[in-house]
Amino acid sequence: MCDDDHGNGMPRRALFVTGAAAALTLGSVTFASGADAAGGPGTPASGTETRTVRGTLPTGSPDFVYLPVEVPRGVREIKVAYTYEKPSVPAGTAGNALDIGIFDERGTDLGGRGFRGWSGGARSEFFLRGDDATPGYVPGPVRPGTWHIALGPYTVAPRGLTYEVTVTLTYGEQAATPKPVYPPARARGRGRAWYRGDCHLHSWYSDGRRTPAEIAALARAAGLDFINSSDHNTHSSHAHWADQAGDDLLILLGEEITTRNGHVLALGTDPGTFVDWRYRARDNRFGKFARRVREAGGLVVPAHPHATCIGCGWKFGFGEADAVEVWNGPYTPDDEIALADWDNMLVAAVRSGGHGERGWLPAMGNSDAHRDPDQVGTPQTVVLADDLTREAVQAGLRAGRSYVAESKLVSLAFTASGARGEHAGIGERLKVAPDTPVTVRVEAAGAPRCTVRLVTDEGLLFTSDPLPVSGAGTVEWRTTAAYAAYVRAELRHEAAAGPLPGALAAFTNPIFLGDAR
């Protein structure tokens, strides 16, 4: 049972929840009745009105609980504050975590037409009005009608989740909404070249603690040429990046679509694009929203697919993905699992003859930096692009012409060549006969004492001696297309102990060998 207790003399009602339905709507919160206009019957011409709602959500509550708020005419600002109990629970038992956001009078239908903001669990209060809003929320008119506060019980303790929501309306003249200004879709660039980027970053517009200015400064210090904004379930930061872009830094706009069954980056979407997150894998709706990302000019990139945080593991499959984030932040065991899983997908692709545009899934790496001491650009994806533009960078990522490095200090050149001068680079195919000798060459820099490992569809086939302390070295290995359908390179730090390999310093997307089947 969900007890819904409206303060200020409002009635109490009980709502029953059976199982994890898609959503639950509570009783409405009402303010001045019969409002026709500011100063009209029953509506204050100025001043504020406040209502408080209390209730308890049981275990098994739906993913989203909507609290309708009847907004009369003449309102210039809405402010919402909330609290909830956080009882102690035994080790291994989920405690309480309650997210929050808001939809305006256009409704809560999937797709987000009425979406006006989301802060997850990062903030205890927010406001929005015509000319301004709390980070995570979208400024704009406060129109009359039924708004909905969206509560997201992420986890619920055994004794339930008791909450209190306070809604304050401020009456008065609407403020004008400024026209958003977005960063340009191109920077100066160097023509066709290798460009470094970090496409998974969080600002204070979701649960990060850094401003766009601070992130841009850290990106430049990390040697990056491009970044992508990826705040959780909101596009509210898009209009706040223009001042940080420059000839030396391309800023792409996106979102981290944070569902209960995994997270996915919308990478480089059109400015102002919002992509809904309110579905699970069992709902069979992800394909629709993946298409929404691509229709808005973006790439679909599942993030940290084997992360162990609640709701982080990827359960939607990879059929709609344009790339996959294999390395997320400082290298950890779940990145090692993601790397192995991605390699298995490469093997499956070559076994099935899938070498076309959608036949294999390129990998990338990003920092997922939120706050100090998270390092922007650790790791970073280095992509061969025709220029430093949104379209060119995306084309390079989609084609897999890229490698991932732990920092700006690490660089790689990785090629394969045939006996008659044939040549291919990362993400490309060396078209040679099955028995034609192939020379694979790795040139590394910035990787002292690292080993070079060459991995094929048959597994790890070559490991070099450690590179010198200068960090620079060249390794060659000879093979044939009959022996290796693809080759990819890894730079590994020295292992501390035991049978596991050392952490990655860099890895490449594959070079495919032989004629496509």
Side-chain angles (χ1 to χ4, degrees):
M1 184 178 74
C2 172
D3 290 327
D4 187 16
D5 179 9
H6 292 200
N8 299 297
M10 301 182 69
R12 177 187 178 107
R13 66 181 294 184
L15 295 172
F16 290 86
V17 181
T18 56
L24 169 71
T25 301
L26 303 174
S28 296
V29 178
T30 60
F31 287 83
S33 60
D36 295 317
T43 306
S46 61
T48 64
E49 282 191 286
T50 297
R51 298 286 186 271
T52 297
V53 176
R54 302 175 184 88
T56 300
L57 299 173
T59 56
S61 290
D63 289 344
F64 300 100
V65 177
Y66 296 105
L67 176 62
V69 178
E70 301 300 334
V71 177
R73 297 180 187 276
V75 175
R76 71 181 303 270
E77 180 181 291
I78 296 178
K79 181 178 179 180
V80 177
Y82 83 121
T83 61
Y84 60 93
E85 290 186 356
K86 299 177 181 178
S88 297
V89 295
T93 301
N96 283 334
L98 183 64
D99 294 343
I100 197 167
I102 195 166
F103 291 77
D104 66 19
E105 84 290 346
R106 291 172 292 180
T108 62
D109 287 349
L110 200 60
R113 186 166 172 264
F115 177 78
R116 290 295 293 271
W118 181 258
S119 49
R123 301 181 186 277
S124 60
E125 61 181 46
F126 64 86
F127 77 91
L128 51 86
R129 61 175 184 256
D131 63 338
D132 199 6
T134 298
Y137 294 80
V138 182
V142 180
R143 293 178 289 262
T146 303
W147 290 52
H148 290 83
I149 296 169
L151 301 175
Y154 207 69
T155 56
V156 179
R159 77 183 199 189
L161 191 159
T162 298
Y163 64 88
E164 179 179 287
V165 179
T166 299
V167 184
T168 300
L169 303 185
T170 299
Y171 294 88
E173 184 178 353
Q174 294 269 358
T177 303
K179 183 178 179 181
V181 178
Y182 300 114
R186 86 169 36 244
R188 178 173 291 171
R190 306 181 297 276
R192 187 173 176 84
W194 293 93
Y195 296 99
R196 293 174 177 263
D198 187 346
C199 294
H200 190 166
L201 295 162
H202 295 280
S203 75
W204 69 354
Y205 287 88
S206 61
D207 63 342
R209 293 294 180 267
R210 291 166 173 157
T211 65
E214 290 170 331
I215 293 171
L218 291 169
R220 289 181 165 97
L224 302 183
D225 302 294
F226 64 93
I227 60 174
N228 177 72
S229 73
S230 56
D231 283 308
H232 294 284
N233 299 339
T234 181
H235 62 297
S236 63
S237 74
H238 286 194
H240 299 275
W241 286 101
D243 291 345
Q244 310 311 320
D247 288 345
D248 63 332
L249 184 64
L250 173 69
I251 298 180
L252 308 178
L253 302 176
E255 177 186 338
E256 184 173 11
I257 306 162
T258 307
T259 80
R260 300 295 179 88
N261 285 161
H263 303 182
V264 58
L265 303 176
L267 196 164
T269 53
D270 294 335
T273 297
F274 166 71
V275 185
D276 213 324
W277 78 100
R278 294 170 295 158
Y279 43 85
R280 289 181 179 253
R282 66 189 178 209
D283 298 324
N284 293 318
R285 288 170 173 162
F286 176 66
K288 172 183 176 180
F289 293 99
R291 290 190 293 275
R292 164 75 171 139
V293 172
R294 282 192 282 272
E295 288 166 358
L299 301 183
V300 177
V301 184
H304 46 66
H306 291 278
T308 56
C309 46
I310 295 173
C312 293
W314 185 248
K315 299 185 183 301
F316 294 93
F318 296 93
E320 294 287 350
D322 296 299
V324 59
E325 185 187 75
V326 166
W327 184 353
N328 175 277
Y331 200 73
T332 58
D334 59 88
D335 297 307
E336 189 71 34
I337 294 170
L339 181 69
D341 192 36
W342 171 68
D343 192 70
N344 289 339
M345 288 192 283
L346 292 179
V347 173
V350 297
R351 296 289 184 265
S352 63
H355 302 142
E357 180 181 0
R358 298 289 299 167
W360 67 282
L361 191 62
M364 64 183 307
N366 302 296
S367 73
D368 199 2
H370 284 70
R371 61 189 69 83
D372 292 339
D374 299 351
Q375 294 185 342
V376 172
T378 301
Q380 52 195 249
T381 299
V382 190
V383 59
L384 179 61
D386 289 336
D387 208 344
L388 190 52
T389 67
R390 168 187 164 189
E391 292 79 7
V393 167
Q394 289 175 321
L397 293 173
R398 189 185 297 110
R401 297 193 303 266
S402 61
Y403 66 91
V404 180
E406 66 180 357
S407 75
K408 65 181 180 181
L409 301 177
V410 180
S411 62
L412 273 177
F414 180 46
T415 59
S417 57
R420 298 181 179 179
E422 306 95 334
H423 183 274
I426 300 171
E428 298 177 339
R429 169 168 294 282
L430 183 68
K431 295 182 178 180
V432 293
D435 58 351
T436 297
V438 172
T439 300
V440 176
R441 181 181 176 89
V442 180
E443 298 175 53
R449 302 300 298 168
C450 287
T451 58
V452 177
R453 299 179 7 140
L454 297 177
V455 182
T456 79
D457 55 310
E458 295 293 340
L460 174 64
L461 295 184
F462 175 84
T463 302
S464 75
D465 292 330
L467 296 174
V469 293
S470 67
T474 300
V475 169
E476 288 190 350
W477 179 64
R478 288 173 176 78
T479 187
T480 65
Y483 189 51
Y486 68 81
V487 184
R488 60 178 186 83
E490 297 178 355
L491 287 180
R492 294 271 186 171
H493 290 287
E494 293 179 290
L500 295 178
L504 280 176
F507 78 96
T508 72
N509 275 299
I511 299 173
F512 295 96
L513 306 180
D515 291 329
R517 299 186 183 117

